[in-house]
């Protein structure tokens, strides 16, 4: 019991711990812990978009970038492990500007029109844009026309709203174990597909578990005729992975 | 009309007029506003041409045809501070839904004029030519301030107009909302 307490709470006593500074205060975390986790354990919040607890980090959205002393390069907190002696800054005018840029590129990439979106007011992209004071998009918008697939009995994907965070793909693979969803192509042509790029209704491996819709941060995957605030469940992946570890 | 009052104007491009409804939602605060500003041009007043020397102009709606591009450039010359009011002006919003279609300009005209008619269906050639893409205002001229929202609520409008008329820079963090 005492051993467990030391590992979690009194982390500094463990010799395998690394000590670092986050926004000036010294913290100690087990080796291999990401900066994001280290910050969260010590009550420092870093904005995230593609990251979701219970799934492997992806590092795609770049919203969680932080400054590390000694280099001008910015690091994504969700994939960068905390290292001995690191000095991390999570809030600064520079980071704020870069995060604003990240959000604007996401908004410019596809046809995000909040007023006609199912996820309006329940969208993590919209919430982050509002919190960061993104009051317009300085880049010319792409106005791409992506496909919408409503062939499944109740799950719908509108790829125009997708930000390619791969949360749905990761939850389908790592929690449900079906790996129905994946990405096709690269760069501008990247899209989420089902099985061998089939219509969702014909994708044999889909178990219709709905977890993709629950973790989608935007309105790209949703359940037909269901109010999106009842669909969304940010904690589902963490909850299930914890339970499965326990039952093993 | 006292000459010390700030000259305020509002414009209405391709939008649903919801932002103007929100502006009217200022209710009794309109009286306060009238004490410091005078409305020199608006869809709700009957003045045909945009007047010169305007202190602050709020524009609702996206720019979707060639006439509006010209009008907007003219307005920019005649006004000191230009504000994009609402999502259509800020992002294109619903007006810009057609942008994702190939030949969306043609498609909306057909939907509006040809489809509903069952006799002599035709698109009138009097309407100004639509742009290929409906554009947010800042892609045409310099915009000084943005009020996103579909529509933005009266409190936001009152705050921004109040700050700008008082010569301060409004802070939008946590105050603005897309959609």
């Amino acid at each position: 019991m005492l051993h467990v307490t030391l590992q979690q709470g009194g982390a500094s006593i463990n010799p395998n711990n690394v000590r670092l500074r986050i926004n000036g205060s010294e913290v100690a975390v087990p080796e291999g812990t990401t900066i994001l986790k280290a910050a969260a354990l010590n009550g420092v919040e870093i904005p995230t978009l593609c990251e979701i607890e219970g799934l492997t980090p992806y590092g795609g959205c770049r919203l969680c970038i932080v400054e590390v002393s000694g280099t001008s390069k910015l690091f994504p907190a969700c994939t960068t492990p905390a290292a001995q002696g690191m000095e991390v800054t999570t809030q600064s005018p520079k980071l704020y500007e870069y995060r604003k840029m990240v959000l604007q590129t996401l908004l410019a990439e596809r046809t995000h029109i909040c007023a006609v979106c199912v996820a309006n007011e329940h969208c993590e992209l919209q919430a982050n844009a509002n919190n960061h004071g993104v009051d317009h998009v300085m880049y010319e918008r792409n106005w791409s026309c992506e496909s919408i697939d409503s062939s499944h009995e109740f799950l719908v994907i509108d790829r125009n709203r997708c930000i390619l965070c791969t949360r749905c793909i990761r939850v389908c693979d790592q929690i449900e174990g079906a790996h129905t969803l994946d990405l096709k192509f690269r760069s501008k042509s990247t899209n989420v597909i089902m099985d061998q790029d089939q219509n969702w209704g014909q994708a044999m491996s889909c178990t219709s578990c709905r977890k993709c819709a629950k973790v989608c941060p935007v309105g790209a995957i949703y359940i037909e005729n269901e109010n999106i605030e009842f669909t969304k469940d940010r904690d589902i992946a963490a909850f299930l992975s914890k339970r499965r570890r326990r039952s093993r | 009309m006292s000459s010390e009052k700030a000259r305020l104007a509002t414009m209405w491009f391709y939008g649903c007029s919801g932002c103007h409804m929100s502006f009217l939602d200022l209710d009794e605060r309109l009286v306060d506003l009238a004490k410091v500003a005078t409305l020199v041009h608006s869809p709700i007043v009957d003045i045909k041409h945009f007047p010169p020397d305007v202190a602050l102009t709020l524009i609702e709606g996206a720019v979707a045809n060639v006439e509006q591009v010209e009008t907007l450039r003219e307005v920019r010359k005649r006004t000191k501070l230009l504000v994009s009011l609402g999502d259509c002006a800020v992002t294109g919003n619903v007006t810009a839904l057609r942008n994702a279609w190939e030949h969306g300009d043609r498609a909306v005209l057909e939907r509006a004029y040809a489809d509903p008619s069952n006799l002599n269906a035709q698109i009138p050639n009097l309407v100004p030519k639509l742009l290929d893409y409906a554009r947010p205002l800042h892609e045409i001229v310099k915009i000084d301030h943005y009020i996103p929202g579909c529509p933005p609520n009266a409190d936001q409008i009152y705050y921004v107009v109040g700050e700008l008329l008082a010569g301060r820079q409004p802070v939008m963090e946590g105050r603005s909302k897309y959609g």
Side-chain angles (χ1 to χ4, degrees):
Chain A
M1 201 59 215
L2 182 68
H3 177 68
V4 173
T5 322
L6 282 178
Q7 280 225 323
Q8 288 174 347
S12 56
I13 302 166
N14 192 318
N16 292 330
N17 279 347
V18 291
R19 300 166 76 88
L20 68 155
R21 281 180 181 277
I22 297 178
N23 295 341
S25 20
E26 185 161 306
V27 301
V29 289
E31 210 179 335
T33 310
T34 62
I35 296 176
L36 185 70
K37 199 77 191 280
L41 285 170
N42 291 283
V44 177
E45 213 181 303
I46 300 172
T48 58
L49 206 49
C50 68
E51 198 275 343
I52 190 163
E53 221 190 317
L55 302 178
T56 53
Y58 176 56
C61 76
R62 287 331 209 220
L63 194 63
C64 67
I65 43 170
V66 291
E67 285 184 71
V68 175
S69 67
T71 167
S72 60
K73 202 178 145 192
L74 301 174
F75 292 87
C78 67
T79 55
T80 312
Q84 186 70 32
M86 218 178 213
E87 284 183 33
V88 179
T89 310
T90 69
Q91 296 284 357
S92 72
K94 181 183 172 186
L95 287 173
Y96 193 76
E97 280 311 306
Y98 274 94
R99 285 178 188 147
K100 261 176 113 162
M101 266 192 245
V102 164
L103 290 163
Q104 290 183 59
T105 50
L106 286 172
L107 287 165
E109 190 178 19
R110 294 200 177 176
T111 310
H112 296 282
I113 297 181
C114 301
V116 295
C117 179
V118 282
N120 192 6
E121 301 195 10
H122 301 283
C123 170
E124 290 178 41
L125 177 63
Q126 186 186 26
N128 271 303
N130 293 339
N131 291 341
H132 285 79
V134 177
D135 55 7
H136 73 291
V137 178
M138 63 171 155
Y139 310 111
E140 192 171 343
R141 292 174 70 143
N142 204 10
W143 300 119
S144 67
C145 189
E146 309 296 338
S147 59
I148 301 171
D149 183 350
S150 60
S151 59
H152 188 276
E153 200 187 333
F154 52 82
L155 289 163
V156 185
I157 181 165
D158 182 344
R159 295 181 176 90
N160 292 296
R161 298 169 182 159
C162 180
I163 56 167
L164 301 168
C165 69
T166 72
R167 275 189 192 179
C168 54
I169 296 168
R170 284 176 285 154
V171 82
C172 187
D173 176 40
Q174 295 165 18
I175 305 290
E176 181 59 13
H179 203 129
T180 304
L181 305 173
D182 213 322
L183 289 179
K184 74 165 175 183
F185 300 147
R186 305 184 67 160
S187 182
K188 244 175 97 174
S189 318
T190 315
N191 258 319
V192 171
I193 53 162
M194 287 79 198
D195 279 356
Q196 305 295 311
D197 199 5
Q198 281 142 319
N199 288 338
W200 209 339
Q202 270 91 56
M204 298 294 283
S205 67
C206 178
T207 60
S208 305
C209 74
R210 302 164 183 239
K211 282 195 272 292
C212 48
K214 286 178 186 295
V215 298
C216 181
V218 289
I221 299 182
Y222 59 94
I223 296 169
E224 230 177 307
N225 299 324
E226 185 176 285
N227 198 330
I228 201 133
E229 55 184 301
F230 300 122
T231 307
K232 298 265 185 236
D233 186 356
R234 253 200 92 133
D235 304 325
I236 186 80
F239 173 76
L240 287 176
S241 61
K242 205 165 153 190
R243 288 214 144 186
R244 285 183 187 168
R245 266 203 302 275
R246 196 189 295 160
S247 65
R248 240 179 251 140
Chain B
M1 262 193 260
S2 140
S3 59
E4 291 144 38
K5 285 187 185 178
R7 287 162 67 81
L8 178 71
T10 72
M11 292 282 284
W12 179 18
F13 289 159
Y14 271 65
C16 69
S17 88
C19 300
H20 274 85
M21 296 300 121
S22 246
F23 179 72
L24 294 177
D25 263 347
L26 289 174
D27 296 336
E28 73 278 8
R29 284 173 292 186
L30 284 169
V31 179
D32 298 336
L33 192 61
K35 285 176 193 158
V36 292
T38 175
L39 196 60
V40 293
H41 186 272
S42 172
I44 55 171
V45 299
D46 193 20
I47 295 164
K48 298 287 177 244
H49 298 286
F50 197 85
D53 304 321
V54 179
L56 176 62
T57 304
L58 309 174
I59 302 187
E60 167 188 349
V63 178
N65 69 32
V66 286
E67 188 198 13
Q68 288 167 344
V69 174
E70 273 177 44
T71 313
L72 181 59
R73 289 199 175 121
E74 205 50 44
V75 169
R76 175 72 271 191
K77 280 182 208 158
R78 296 180 186 192
T79 189
K80 206 171 142 229
L81 288 172
L82 200 54
V83 177
S84 285
L85 178 64
D87 272 358
C88 291
V90 173
T91 71
N93 203 25
V94 177
T95 317
L97 274 172
R98 72 169 165 93
N99 292 4
W101 273 284
E102 215 174 321
H103 307 302
D105 50 340
R106 189 78 199 165
V108 286
L109 286 176
E110 269 163 23
R111 185 77 189 98
Y113 291 103
D115 291 3
S117 133
N118 44 25
L119 194 68
N120 286 336
Q122 57 178 316
I123 295 166
N125 52 17
L126 298 165
V127 286
K129 193 182 173 311
L130 289 185
L131 301 175
D132 295 353
Y133 284 175
R135 299 262 178 210
L137 305 183
H138 64 265
E139 288 187 11
I140 314 282
V141 295
K142 183 183 169 287
I143 296 295
D144 301 298
H145 206 80
Y146 304 85
I147 316 179
C150 186
N153 65 39
D155 295 341
Q156 285 167 329
I157 300 174
Y158 190 65
Y159 167 75
V160 173
V161 170
E163 294 290 287
L164 290 176
L165 287 180
R168 291 186 294 263
Q169 186 65 19
V171 182
M172 294 310 279
E173 274 86 340
R175 268 200 191 86
S176 68
K177 183 191 86 69
Y178 281 110

